[in-house]
Amino acid sequence: MNFTFSSQSSPSAPAVEPATFQVARIWQQVDDQHRDVSHLIDRSYRYHSIRELHWHLADRFARPVRSLALSRV
C-alpha cells in the first residue's frame, strides 16, 4: 500500500518537547488514482516522526509495516 501525506508543523518549545507534526491530508494510491483517506485517522494527533505515522497506518489498515510505503508532499 502506498500513501502520500501533507502535514502541518505543530509549534512546540524546543527545550520542553521535540517538534511534532499533524497530518493535514493523506491519500492512498490505488492503481493510477489517489484516494483521500484522511477521514480514517485522527488528524489532530501530533506525530513525533514519520516512522510513528508509518506504524500507525500499518495498525489502522491491519497490514505489516513493510507492506506500506509512505511519502510526504
Side-chain angles (χ1 to χ4, degrees), residues 9-51:
S9 294
S10 300
S12 66
V16 178
E17 63 182 73
T20 59
F21 69 92
Q22 292 173 290
V23 173
R25 293 191 64 194
I26 188 163
W27 302 269
Q28 178 185 14
Q29 184 171 344
V30 179
D31 298 322
D32 292 335
Q33 298 185 340
H34 284 85
R35 182 177 76 172
D36 190 334
V37 292
S38 302
H39 63 285
L40 297 177
I41 66 167
D42 177 2
R43 292 186 296 149
S44 67
Y45 182 80
R46 293 181 172 178
Y47 291 95
H48 290 90
S49 68
I50 293 175
R51 182 179 180 200

